[in-house]
Amino acid sequence: MIFSRETIAKNVFLFCTLASTVTISSILLFMIALGLPLFQESSFLSIWTGPWDPYQGLYGIRPMISGTLWIALPATALSLPLSLGTSFVITSLGGRELRRMLGALVRFMTGIPTVIYGFVGIFLLMPLIREGFGGAGMCVLAAVIVLAILISPTMILFFSDSLLSVDPGDVQAAKALGADRAQRLLYIIMPKALNGMISGFILALGRALGDTLISLMLAGNAIRAPRGFLEPARTLTAHIALVNAADFNSLEFRSIFTCGIALYLFTTTAVIAVRFIGRKKSVMQ
Amino acid sequence: MQGFAEKAVVVFSWIMTILLCLFVFLFIGYLLIQGLPSLGRELIFGQADPLQALLGRARVFDGIFPAIVGTLCLVELSATLAVPVGVCSGIYLAEYAGPGMKKLSGMFFDILAGIPSIVIGLFGFSLAVFLHNHFDDRIGPCLLISSLSLAILVLPYIVRSTQISLEELSPGIRRTGLALGANKLQNITYVLIPNALSGISSGIILAVGRCAEDTAVMLLTGVVATAGVPSSLLSQYEALPFYIYYISNQYTNPEELAGGYGASLILLGVCAFLFMLAYGMKKHLSYWTLYRA
Amino acid sequence: MLIKTKDKIIVNGVSFFYGRNQVLDNIHASFAEGAITAITGPSGQGKSTLLGLFNCMWDEIPGARCTGTIRIRLGDMWVSPLKKDIPMPLLRRKVAMIFQEPNPLPMSIAGNMAFPLKLAGVRDKSFIEEKVQKALAQAFLWEEVKDRLEKSALDLSGGQKQRLCIARALVLEPEVLLCDEPTSSLDKKAAGIIEDFLVSLKAKCTLLVVSHYMDQMRRIADKVMLLQDQGLSQI
């Protein structure tokens, strides 16, 4: 009786696992199935690199890829020093009370909904940019600044975590040799924590690439590859969000799936890279 | 020279920290100053009588009551769909799966946790269109499709946080029940799950917070600006985050904008509370859960 | 009066591998019924592993492999744990185990004590109460905790916790009790009480005690065995 109950439970658990696996895999299959005809109709390369001009029948997503990179890369680059400095203070430079408060603040930041970052960005940041630099205000720069703040908690938490996981014995040894806080951080802790910090950086980059709302609300959404920080841009994610065709067979609709596949590839590469780095670290230990 | 570099690092770190804090306080302070005055009965219920609205007798036209109800329905439905399946999968992966399957599934769910939410929204959208074209005209983007998409969105977190909290348990705890003659299922239900409960539930709370705030998924799967309180699973609905998004580019007068600030404050309060609660329950959450766009 | 002791456990040619490492090599031994056998030896030589073979706890370690036979007489029946000819939960109810760190579960004292009975499917409340009281009394613990049975077991002192864990194992009336350094996390006084307690159990079960302390073994053990260089020998 008890044993049969155990078998039933095991099978229920197994069933749930299979169900969730199948459900989630179907997303990729769905996207490939729907995006496939586009690859067949025009040449494979032109979708990725070609321009967007629906009147000419051209549905290349290059402007969107370019927009995504124009926003995500500078945002990550801007977030890096912010996160690096803050995580240094959280893990070693600050006093105990300050560290605790900063930690709580960073965790609080992870709980702020994206749409609120966007909302405040529109009404607080946009006027400043309009006055300072001219133009409409909706531009790459606005999205970059807000996005940099949005992704910084991810980076800070990962950075602090890897910095704190360094063997305290090593740190004590350096302390005994007369190294001060900054020296211990730079010469002992940083080199050992590097792998974990790279993981955090890649994950934050993935987050920046995949973010929809900030660029949708702040970047202006013009379908044209931006040539400067004050120009509007449309990201892959915003392009998907702005879909207004409901006809499966239209090329425009299919191009959206190409965007989806591109995003899928970007983020999957990021995750695999992080797992690879994590594995190397464990082998070294 | 070296002394200079070290000093520079310290100064740099403090400047960056102050800069970040400044940004955050500016954001929150601005929101508070703009939003606090608009908080009140009027914001939620508009001109309608609160009691009548709560009982469903009166429609609220100019308040965010329908959006709040819509968000609650959404969260409730997606949690109902995702939590049981997710927790059971996590248990299977932690306790029954072999090492090969563990490795593979860990990779799999981590990748899925990293898919941008808009892609999952796109999936929900195309599913709705597909069902509409092939099965029934009445199906379109709706509450059910949204909940399903959100459930898929948060499923990997629930699976992984359940799995990780169970795997983190010390071998000592694992042995206790077994040495007393528990079979595997008894050990899981009586010993392992109660001990991993804080981790599992904080994963669920984070998932709920995500469901409440993920605008990108809702955007493509049936949220609209005016729908009233949702009447069925197949109807369109309003939601708080979408309301905020909508106000930000469609507002026509200062009152509507003030409503947007008020709604932002409410959503911020709810989400921040959920996240802090989750952190309070389990100090060391796996940061994978934070990483979704 | 001469009491002829019978063998309770017979170990025959047992080798144990963990991954590529061989931990135990071709072990032969027998353990007499109603006696306390102490097992000692340098740390890291697999004493705990050996103990875990008798109730199949090694089963939970990934990458472990075991050859040879172990036979345990439960009642009138011989069972072979390594061959798994008895369901694991049943085996572990009769071959109980005490760990180095006391491991009360995060529930009340009464809850901890009734837990093994609950696992075994016992529902009768008065029966449970009677068993719990009896086992606590055996552990010299009844007087100390009878007024706080519903309080958390985690608030007890280290020695009390360990006695609670032994009492908890005794609720099911095991025939063999495996003790893995049961006193090493306790102070001397608490350890002394546990030692007396273990000696008092000889009438009911066969005890295998892993220990580091020579004086302790001299006090309680009928036989001392040394586990060294992958082999077991009597000293």
PDB file of all heavy atoms in Angstrom, chain A residues 183-201:
ATOM      1  N   GLN A 183      44.451  47.227  -0.668  1.00  0.00           N
ATOM      2  CA  GLN A 183      45.449  46.309  -1.225  1.00  0.00           C
ATOM      3  C   GLN A 183      44.954  44.874  -1.233  1.00  0.00           C
ATOM      4  O   GLN A 183      45.138  44.146  -2.199  1.00  0.00           O
ATOM      5  CB  GLN A 183      46.755  46.409  -0.419  1.00  0.00           C
ATOM      6  CG  GLN A 183      47.515  47.683  -0.706  1.00  0.00           C
ATOM      7  CD  GLN A 183      48.655  47.897   0.277  1.00  0.00           C
ATOM      8  OE1 GLN A 183      48.563  47.497   1.446  1.00  0.00           O
ATOM      9  NE2 GLN A 183      49.706  48.527  -0.187  1.00  0.00           N
ATOM     10  N   ARG A 184      44.308  44.492  -0.122  1.00  0.00           N
ATOM     11  CA  ARG A 184      43.756  43.130  -0.080  1.00  0.00           C
ATOM     12  C   ARG A 184      42.757  42.937  -1.199  1.00  0.00           C
ATOM     13  O   ARG A 184      42.739  41.918  -1.886  1.00  0.00           O
ATOM     14  CB  ARG A 184      43.068  42.885   1.271  1.00  0.00           C
ATOM     15  CG  ARG A 184      44.028  42.827   2.436  1.00  0.00           C
ATOM     16  CD  ARG A 184      43.388  42.176   3.634  1.00  0.00           C
ATOM     17  NE  ARG A 184      42.232  42.879   4.152  1.00  0.00           N
ATOM     18  CZ  ARG A 184      42.263  43.749   5.173  1.00  0.00           C
ATOM     19  NH1 ARG A 184      43.392  44.024   5.760  1.00  0.00           N
ATOM     20  NH2 ARG A 184      41.174  44.325   5.596  1.00  0.00           N
ATOM     21  N   LEU A 185      41.914  43.950  -1.388  1.00  0.00           N
ATOM     22  CA  LEU A 185      40.888  43.871  -2.418  1.00  0.00           C
ATOM     23  C   LEU A 185      41.516  43.716  -3.795  1.00  0.00           C
ATOM     24  O   LEU A 185      41.123  42.845  -4.579  1.00  0.00           O
ATOM     25  CB  LEU A 185      40.036  45.140  -2.354  1.00  0.00           C
ATOM     26  CG  LEU A 185      38.825  45.183  -3.264  1.00  0.00           C
ATOM     27  CD1 LEU A 185      37.826  44.138  -2.824  1.00  0.00           C
ATOM     28  CD2 LEU A 185      38.200  46.563  -3.231  1.00  0.00           C
ATOM     29  N   LEU A 186      42.528  44.546  -4.071  1.00  0.00           N
ATOM     30  CA  LEU A 186      43.085  44.588  -5.423  1.00  0.00           C
ATOM     31  C   LEU A 186      43.954  43.377  -5.732  1.00  0.00           C
ATOM     32  O   LEU A 186      43.889  42.828  -6.819  1.00  0.00           O
ATOM     33  CB  LEU A 186      43.921  45.851  -5.607  1.00  0.00           C
ATOM     34  CG  LEU A 186      43.123  47.122  -5.853  1.00  0.00           C
ATOM     35  CD1 LEU A 186      44.061  48.300  -6.043  1.00  0.00           C
ATOM     36  CD2 LEU A 186      42.250  46.959  -7.090  1.00  0.00           C
ATOM     37  N   TYR A 187      44.778  42.961  -4.774  1.00  0.00           N
ATOM     38  CA  TYR A 187      45.782  41.944  -5.105  1.00  0.00           C
ATOM     39  C   TYR A 187      45.407  40.539  -4.654  1.00  0.00           C
ATOM     40  O   TYR A 187      45.947  39.567  -5.152  1.00  0.00           O
ATOM     41  CB  TYR A 187      47.141  42.354  -4.511  1.00  0.00           C
ATOM     42  CG  TYR A 187      47.529  43.749  -4.908  1.00  0.00           C
ATOM     43  CD1 TYR A 187      47.844  44.707  -3.961  1.00  0.00           C
ATOM     44  CD2 TYR A 187      47.521  44.119  -6.255  1.00  0.00           C
ATOM     45  CE1 TYR A 187      48.167  46.008  -4.338  1.00  0.00           C
ATOM     46  CE2 TYR A 187      47.846  45.413  -6.637  1.00  0.00           C
ATOM     47  CZ  TYR A 187      48.165  46.351  -5.673  1.00  0.00           C
ATOM     48  OH  TYR A 187      48.459  47.618  -6.064  1.00  0.00           O
ATOM     49  N   ILE A 188      44.511  40.415  -3.696  1.00  0.00           N
ATOM     50  CA  ILE A 188      44.153  39.078  -3.215  1.00  0.00           C
ATOM     51  C   ILE A 188      42.752  38.690  -3.673  1.00  0.00           C
ATOM     52  O   ILE A 188      42.543  37.652  -4.308  1.00  0.00           O
ATOM     53  CB  ILE A 188      44.191  39.016  -1.667  1.00  0.00           C
ATOM     54  CG1 ILE A 188      45.521  39.515  -1.146  1.00  0.00           C
ATOM     55  CG2 ILE A 188      43.901  37.597  -1.192  1.00  0.00           C
ATOM     56  CD1 ILE A 188      46.709  38.670  -1.540  1.00  0.00           C
ATOM     57  N   ILE A 189      41.777  39.546  -3.368  1.00  0.00           N
ATOM     58  CA  ILE A 189      40.385  39.151  -3.585  1.00  0.00           C
ATOM     59  C   ILE A 189      39.998  39.197  -5.061  1.00  0.00           C
ATOM     60  O   ILE A 189      39.454  38.239  -5.611  1.00  0.00           O
ATOM     61  CB  ILE A 189      39.447  40.041  -2.750  1.00  0.00           C
ATOM     62  CG1 ILE A 189      39.804  39.898  -1.271  1.00  0.00           C
ATOM     63  CG2 ILE A 189      38.004  39.648  -2.965  1.00  0.00           C
ATOM     64  CD1 ILE A 189      38.992  40.770  -0.366  1.00  0.00           C
ATOM     65  N   MET A 190      40.315  40.325  -5.713  1.00  0.00           N
ATOM     66  CA  MET A 190      39.895  40.495  -7.106  1.00  0.00           C
ATOM     67  C   MET A 190      40.318  39.354  -8.023  1.00  0.00           C
ATOM     68  O   MET A 190      39.499  38.800  -8.747  1.00  0.00           O
ATOM     69  CB  MET A 190      40.443  41.824  -7.644  1.00  0.00           C
ATOM     70  CG  MET A 190      39.507  42.985  -7.440  1.00  0.00           C
ATOM     71  SD  MET A 190      38.195  42.958  -8.650  1.00  0.00           S
ATOM     72  CE  MET A 190      39.019  43.710 -10.041  1.00  0.00           C
ATOM     73  N   PRO A 191      41.608  38.986  -8.029  1.00  0.00           N
ATOM     74  CA  PRO A 191      42.022  37.927  -8.954  1.00  0.00           C
ATOM     75  C   PRO A 191      41.264  36.619  -8.726  1.00  0.00           C
ATOM     76  O   PRO A 191      40.896  35.931  -9.676  1.00  0.00           O
ATOM     77  CB  PRO A 191      43.513  37.744  -8.643  1.00  0.00           C
ATOM     78  CG  PRO A 191      43.924  39.017  -7.997  1.00  0.00           C
ATOM     79  CD  PRO A 191      42.732  39.521  -7.258  1.00  0.00           C
ATOM     80  N   LYS A 192      40.998  36.324  -7.446  1.00  0.00           N
ATOM     81  CA  LYS A 192      40.314  35.054  -7.170  1.00  0.00           C
ATOM     82  C   LYS A 192      38.841  35.102  -7.547  1.00  0.00           C
ATOM     83  O   LYS A 192      38.231  34.077  -7.826  1.00  0.00           O
ATOM     84  CB  LYS A 192      40.437  34.727  -5.677  1.00  0.00           C
ATOM     85  CG  LYS A 192      41.856  34.471  -5.258  1.00  0.00           C
ATOM     86  CD  LYS A 192      41.961  33.206  -4.473  1.00  0.00           C
ATOM     87  CE  LYS A 192      43.419  32.857  -4.322  1.00  0.00           C
ATOM     88  NZ  LYS A 192      43.645  31.559  -3.785  1.00  0.00           N
ATOM     89  N   ALA A 193      38.265  36.297  -7.465  1.00  0.00           N
ATOM     90  CA  ALA A 193      36.827  36.409  -7.697  1.00  0.00           C
ATOM     91  C   ALA A 193      36.502  36.663  -9.154  1.00  0.00           C
ATOM     92  O   ALA A 193      35.337  36.775  -9.520  1.00  0.00           O
ATOM     93  CB  ALA A 193      36.251  37.525  -6.828  1.00  0.00           C
ATOM     94  N   LEU A 194      37.525  36.714  -9.992  1.00  0.00           N
ATOM     95  CA  LEU A 194      37.321  37.174 -11.355  1.00  0.00           C
ATOM     96  C   LEU A 194      36.282  36.366 -12.134  1.00  0.00           C
ATOM     97  O   LEU A 194      35.418  36.921 -12.802  1.00  0.00           O
ATOM     98  CB  LEU A 194      38.656  37.166 -12.095  1.00  0.00           C
ATOM     99  CG  LEU A 194      38.724  38.193 -13.236  1.00  0.00           C
ATOM    100  CD1 LEU A 194      38.464  39.575 -12.701  1.00  0.00           C
ATOM    101  CD2 LEU A 194      40.061  38.117 -13.935  1.00  0.00           C
ATOM    102  N   ASN A 195      36.348  35.038 -12.003  1.00  0.00           N
ATOM    103  CA  ASN A 195      35.414  34.198 -12.763  1.00  0.00           C
ATOM    104  C   ASN A 195      33.973  34.522 -12.441  1.00  0.00           C
ATOM    105  O   ASN A 195      33.142  34.681 -13.327  1.00  0.00           O
ATOM    106  CB  ASN A 195      35.683  32.726 -12.459  1.00  0.00           C
ATOM    107  CG  ASN A 195      36.618  32.125 -13.481  1.00  0.00           C
ATOM    108  OD1 ASN A 195      36.569  32.515 -14.633  1.00  0.00           O
ATOM    109  ND2 ASN A 195      37.445  31.209 -13.051  1.00  0.00           N
ATOM    110  N   GLY A 196      33.675  34.588 -11.137  1.00  0.00           N
ATOM    111  CA  GLY A 196      32.308  34.885 -10.727  1.00  0.00           C
ATOM    112  C   GLY A 196      31.888  36.255 -11.207  1.00  0.00           C
ATOM    113  O   GLY A 196      30.736  36.461 -11.602  1.00  0.00           O
ATOM    114  N   MET A 197      32.831  37.196 -11.209  1.00  0.00           N
ATOM    115  CA  MET A 197      32.485  38.543 -11.636  1.00  0.00           C
ATOM    116  C   MET A 197      32.202  38.592 -13.126  1.00  0.00           C
ATOM    117  O   MET A 197      31.294  39.293 -13.569  1.00  0.00           O
ATOM    118  CB  MET A 197      33.610  39.500 -11.254  1.00  0.00           C
ATOM    119  CG  MET A 197      33.760  39.596  -9.745  1.00  0.00           C
ATOM    120  SD  MET A 197      35.121  40.631  -9.216  1.00  0.00           S
ATOM    121  CE  MET A 197      34.496  42.243  -9.598  1.00  0.00           C
ATOM    122  N   ILE A 198      32.950  37.806 -13.892  1.00  0.00           N
ATOM    123  CA  ILE A 198      32.666  37.755 -15.331  1.00  0.00           C
ATOM    124  C   ILE A 198      31.266  37.186 -15.566  1.00  0.00           C
ATOM    125  O   ILE A 198      30.505  37.677 -16.390  1.00  0.00           O
ATOM    126  CB  ILE A 198      33.732  36.919 -16.069  1.00  0.00           C
ATOM    127  CG1 ILE A 198      35.075  37.630 -15.999  1.00  0.00           C
ATOM    128  CG2 ILE A 198      33.346  36.704 -17.513  1.00  0.00           C
ATOM    129  CD1 ILE A 198      36.233  36.831 -16.545  1.00  0.00           C
ATOM    130  N   SER A 199      30.907  36.155 -14.785  1.00  0.00           N
ATOM    131  CA  SER A 199      29.559  35.590 -14.910  1.00  0.00           C
ATOM    132  C   SER A 199      28.517  36.659 -14.679  1.00  0.00           C
ATOM    133  O   SER A 199      27.559  36.790 -15.442  1.00  0.00           O
ATOM    134  CB  SER A 199      29.350  34.469 -13.896  1.00  0.00           C
ATOM    135  OG  SER A 199      30.272  33.449 -14.095  1.00  0.00           O
ATOM    136  N   GLY A 200      28.691  37.438 -13.614  1.00  0.00           N
ATOM    137  CA  GLY A 200      27.725  38.489 -13.303  1.00  0.00           C
ATOM    138  C   GLY A 200      27.635  39.500 -14.433  1.00  0.00           C
ATOM    139  O   GLY A 200      26.546  39.931 -14.798  1.00  0.00           O
ATOM    140  N   PHE A 201      28.770  39.826 -15.003  1.00  0.00           N
ATOM    141  CA  PHE A 201      28.795  40.788 -16.097  1.00  0.00           C
ATOM    142  C   PHE A 201      28.010  40.253 -17.296  1.00  0.00           C
ATOM    143  O   PHE A 201      27.189  40.949 -17.880  1.00  0.00           O
ATOM    144  CB  PHE A 201      30.247  41.070 -16.498  1.00  0.00           C
ATOM    145  CG  PHE A 201      30.382  42.041 -17.627  1.00  0.00           C
ATOM    146  CD1 PHE A 201      30.231  43.394 -17.402  1.00  0.00           C
ATOM    147  CD2 PHE A 201      30.626  41.597 -18.913  1.00  0.00           C
ATOM    148  CE1 PHE A 201      30.340  44.299 -18.447  1.00  0.00           C
ATOM    149  CE2 PHE A 201      30.736  42.492 -19.960  1.00  0.00           C
ATOM    150  CZ  PHE A 201      30.593  43.856 -19.729  1.00  0.00           C
TER     151      PHE A 201
END
